[in-house]
Amino acid sequence: RAVAFDRGRFGSELSDLVDALVANRVLLADKAEAGSSPLLRIAHQRVLESWSRARRLIEEQQDFFRIREDVEQQFRRWSEGGERRQLLIPPGLAMAEADKIARDYRDDLTTPMVSFIRASGRRARARQSFFAGLAIVFAGIAAVALLQWREADQARGEAVSSYQSAKGTVDQLIGTFTGRLALMKEVSLDTIETAFVEIKRSVDLLGEKAGSSDPLFNQTRADLALGFANTYKKRDDGRARELAGEALRLRQDLARQFPTSLDMLWLVSKSHEFISDLERATDMAAAEAHVREALTLRRGLVTAQPNNAVWAEGLSKILVRLGDMQRAQKRYPDAARSYEEALSLSLGWFLRHPDEATWQRELSWALSKVGTDRRHGPKTGWPEGLRMFETELCLRRRLIERDPANKLVQADVTWSLERVSQMREMLGDAKGAALAALEAYRKRAGLVDLDQKDNDFKRYHYRSLHRMGQLAANAGLPHVAVAYWIEADQLFKRLDSEKATPRDVPAVAAEIEKLRAAIAPRTLDDIAKASPSFRSAYETDIGEPPADRAGQTASTECWETSLATVSELDAQRGLTSRSARE
């Protein structure tokens, strides 16, 4: 059938298309009579027969446009997000589709987009190689263990030894791999699940063949489940709970099978502790129930082996954790009892082993908790609270000397300084409060410089800027206070844009507004320009914090005083800590 084609009714693009189809003899154009449009008709039956191919090409093009749109959106997020690796295309279907259009439609994509797809592909392939290689390692070790076990009839003793060696390697690899995986922030949930399934398959294969003769094999299964629960912990709470519950059940079964094994009870307590961490954010009652289960087990373990330092440390930790839960529920007397028990235990062990980092750390936490109770209690208890905070600070200075590159311990030191500053201010020592706050401020600024991506360190720094401004305002120096708060306000806005707003310290914008009249005739711009000189003069007037003096060991001046404080606190508590030393 022929149809008339009026060029005047259509744009140039359609006219060009018609001309191209006519030129390639897909359409035929009959000459038009005067004053009429030419007639167009299909050139041959073959054109109609080929429409199925055309439909297929159209469908492929629709897939192309859909995939390209998805890739363009991801590309924009990557570009606008500073080209961070975690914003590349994740492994899986999306990556496979992007690879296909980059291969089949290269000329229809921009060069930057092709580079983006290739970078995403390199990362995906590297991860696939990593996990595939690891699965092969696990499968190989499991196969070796099975082979040795099957040869047991020929050389029983040697085979058992080889199997145990191979199984031990599997256990070690599980711990190493899951620990590494938990630290990899960019790993997708699909990748984690794939790794878990592959490794679990090898472990189950080994267990099916050797588990009947190895009554402790379920310990390996429990370690695998708990290791991956820790990996899922910040990504998928539901999956983490499922695997943690599986690990707990396996360990409880083993504890029932071996009722005299104290090590099994310890592992059961560790599973309860882990699950309590998972439950704490959503179900405090369930979290506390698991903590109490762990507490009961650990009290029994310490009673059975009072000289076991690992179990004593575990008991101290779980008491502090219980106290934190009780405090969160405003059950302050209960929290105080839990903290006091942890402190008594830590005091005794520290006095037996004052040079051990474990008990320096544990005692510092217990002192922090009980000191905070004193701070919120009657004024008569404030001086003792200050002594606890200063001893806590000295212990953490000692820990830093052992491990100066440890950023978490450095952060702990700044929290100790903050508590000392607050308590000194409450006791009327403005100079001492400012000196401790200044040291915390400088150390937190240093932590931000060390790790620009850690928002926790930025929040800590915001707290210190806020605190320095408060102290300057209290000292009658509004221009200095505003100088600190202008920087704090900028940091607050950056954190807010990253959805990492400080949770327990308010914004300073309102504080700045309150001081506008006090800084007149200076403007905020004037203060901002002169901020470095204002702050420098104020900090010089405060003085130099002890730990900043060149060549001085941080804990030298405080250590003997701290030992005396610890001995006095221990004597006050009497039987509990004395029994720990006996």
Side-chain angles (χ1 to χ4, degrees):
R1 180 183 177 184
V3 295
F5 179 68
D6 183 358
R7 290 180 179 274
R9 293 176 55 195
F10 302 100
S12 60
E13 290 183 358
L14 185 56
S15 297
D16 291 343
L17 174 61
V18 169
D19 290 341
L21 292 172
V22 170
N24 286 277
R25 302 193 61 76
V26 175
L27 297 177
L28 295 179
D30 295 334
K31 291 183 179 180
E33 298 179 1
S36 64
S37 301
L39 297 177
L40 299 177
R41 57 189 174 85
I42 299 295
H44 195 274
Q45 178 68 21
R46 178 68 177 167
V47 174
L48 296 175
E49 293 171 353
S50 66
W51 279 127
S52 60
R53 178 172 176 270
R55 282 195 299 272
R56 188 173 69 254
L57 290 172
I58 290 170
E59 289 172 359
E60 289 178 359
Q61 290 292 320
Q62 288 176 337
D63 281 343
F64 164 72
F65 289 122
R66 173 185 61 77
I67 296 167
R68 188 178 68 175
E69 182 178 358
D70 291 342
V71 173
E72 284 176 341
Q73 291 177 353
Q74 188 73 39
F75 174 70
R76 282 195 298 272
R77 286 195 294 271
W78 176 72
S79 299
E80 295 168 0
E83 299 186 0
R84 289 177 291 168
R85 285 175 57 82
Q86 59 264 40
L87 295 179
L88 291 169
I89 302 170
L93 177 61
M95 187 67 251
E97 289 182 334
D99 268 336
K100 185 177 187 304
I101 67 168
R103 183 176 61 253
D104 297 344
Y105 301 95
R106 170 65 183 83
D107 294 338
D108 295 307
L109 302 174
T110 64
T111 299
M113 192 181 299
V114 171
S115 299
F116 168 68
I117 293 172
R118 287 175 178 169
S120 300
R122 285 193 296 272
R123 185 184 72 151
R125 286 188 292 276
R127 288 185 177 178
Q128 288 169 354
S129 298
F130 171 72
F131 289 115
L134 192 75
I136 290 171
V137 169
F138 268 86
I141 292 172
V144 169
L146 283 172
L147 178 62
Q148 298 291 353
W149 195 256
R150 287 167 181 166
E151 293 173 352
D153 291 340
Q154 299 174 10
R156 183 68 180 177
E158 183 180 347
V160 170
S161 176
S162 297
Y163 162 75
Q164 291 296 342
S165 177
K167 180 176 174 293
T169 304
V170 169
D171 292 339
Q172 185 176 5
L173 278 173
I174 288 171
T176 301
F177 174 68
T178 54
R180 178 179 175 183
L181 192 62
L183 296 174
M184 295 173 67
K185 298 179 181 179
E186 301 173 13
V187 181
S188 68
L189 288 172
D190 287 343
T191 302
I192 295 172
E193 187 65 21
T194 299
F196 174 68
V197 169
E198 290 299 322
I199 295 173
K200 188 175 186 298
R201 183 180 294 120
S202 296
V203 169
D204 285 344
L205 179 62
L206 182 59
E208 287 172 8
K209 302 299 182 182
S212 60
S213 301
D214 180 3
L216 293 175
F217 189 82
N218 274 347
Q219 189 170 330
T220 296
R221 288 192 172 102
D223 290 344
L224 176 64
L226 195 63
F228 271 90
N230 189 50
T231 301
Y232 276 104
K233 191 173 179 179
K234 294 184 179 179
R235 298 173 172 91
D236 184 341
D237 285 348
R239 186 66 169 135
R241 287 190 185 92
E242 179 184 346
L243 291 173
E246 179 182 342
L248 174 60
R249 287 188 294 275
L250 288 166
R251 287 177 169 179
Q252 287 174 327
D253 286 344
L254 286 167
R256 283 190 287 269
Q257 291 177 47
F258 302 94
T260 60
S261 173
L262 298 181
D263 289 333
M264 289 298 175
L265 294 177
W266 168 251
L267 292 175
V268 172
S269 82
K270 293 284 287 182
S271 281
H272 280 298
E273 181 179 21
F274 184 87
I275 295 175
S276 78
D277 281 346
L278 295 177
E279 298 288 1
R280 187 171 176 177
T282 56
D283 190 342
M284 186 66 78
E288 184 174 335
H290 281 287
V291 163
R292 288 192 176 279
E293 290 285 348
L295 177 60
T296 299
L297 290 168
R298 291 182 187 182
R299 278 186 173 144
L301 290 169
V302 169
T303 299
Q305 291 187 3
N307 291 320
N308 188 313
V310 173
W311 295 348
E313 179 191 4
L315 177 56
S316 176
K317 287 182 183 295
I318 211 71
L319 284 165
V320 169
R321 186 158 308 186
L322 176 59
D324 288 346
M325 291 181 178
Q326 291 164 333
R327 181 186 283 172
Q329 299 172 72
K330 299 183 179 179
R331 293 157 50 195
Y332 299 118
D334 291 339
R337 283 190 291 272
S338 297
Y339 292 146
E340 281 286 356
E341 186 178 349
L343 178 59
S344 294
L345 181 64
S346 299
L347 286 168
W349 275 89
F350 172 79
L351 287 171
R352 290 166 63 185
H353 308 282
D355 294 324
E356 288 189 5
T358 294
W359 293 108
Q360 291 170 10
R361 183 173 56 251
E362 280 307 302
L363 180 56
S364 74
W365 280 108
L367 287 168
S368 167
K369 302 299 182 179
V370 177
T372 299
D373 279 343
R374 297 292 186 274
R375 178 188 162 204
H376 291 292
K379 189 173 182 178
T380 53
W382 292 358
E384 184 180 49
L386 176 60
R387 291 179 67 196
M388 290 181 176
F389 289 151
E390 289 181 332
T391 303
E392 165 205 342
L393 173 60
C394 190
L395 291 167
R396 289 179 173 175
R397 291 196 195 280
R398 199 78 156 186
L399 290 169
I400 281 292
E401 290 164 12
R402 292 173 178 270
D403 189 5
N406 191 318
K407 292 182 289 188
L408 295 179
V409 180
Q410 291 179 43
D412 287 343
V413 168
T414 69
W415 284 102
S416 300
L417 286 164
E418 183 175 303
R419 283 186 278 273
V420 168
S421 174
Q422 292 168 342
M423 187 60 85
R424 285 195 172 277
E425 185 179 29
M426 290 169 64
L427 289 167
D429 180 6
K431 184 77 171 180
L435 199 62
L438 175 59
E439 185 180 351
Y441 160 69
R442 288 180 177 174
K443 287 184 181 299
R444 286 174 173 173
L447 286 170
V448 172
D449 290 339
L450 283 173
D451 192 343
Q452 294 283 343
K453 295 181 179 180
D454 195 311
N455 282 333
D456 282 339
F457 291 161
K458 292 177 186 176
R459 282 192 286 262
Y460 302 163
H461 186 43
Y462 174 80
R463 287 180 66 97
S464 281
L465 286 165
H466 191 284
R467 173 74 173 153
M468 292 298 290
Q470 283 182 325
L471 291 170
N474 294 343
L477 301 169
H479 59 291
V480 177
V482 172
Y484 284 109
W485 286 342
I486 286 174
E487 182 180 346
D489 188 48
Q490 294 168 348
L491 180 56
F492 188 95
K493 289 174 180 175
R494 287 200 299 274
L495 288 168
D496 189 49
S497 69
E498 297 174 14
K499 295 181 172 55
T501 310
R503 294 176 291 273
D504 51 354
V505 182
V508 294
E511 301 295 331
I512 293 173
E513 288 301 315
K514 289 178 184 178
L515 292 183
R516 271 185 180 272
I519 63 173
R522 298 187 183 99
T523 65
L524 293 182
D525 286 341
D526 294 334
I527 298 291
K529 291 175 184 177
S531 176
S533 60
F534 287 152
R535 294 193 295 186
S536 177
Y538 175 63
E539 291 169 21
T540 299
D541 186 58
I542 290 173
E544 197 68 15
D548 287 348
R549 293 179 192 147
Q552 177 175 302
T553 303
S555 68
T556 299
E557 293 183 1
C558 66
W559 190 245
E560 291 302 321
T561 302
S562 295
L563 288 176
T565 298
V566 169
S567 296
E568 182 180 333
L569 292 172
D570 178 72
Q572 290 173 358
R573 280 152 183 79
L575 293 175
T576 305
S577 54
R578 277 205 298 274
S579 64
R581 292 198 301 276
E582 292 172 356

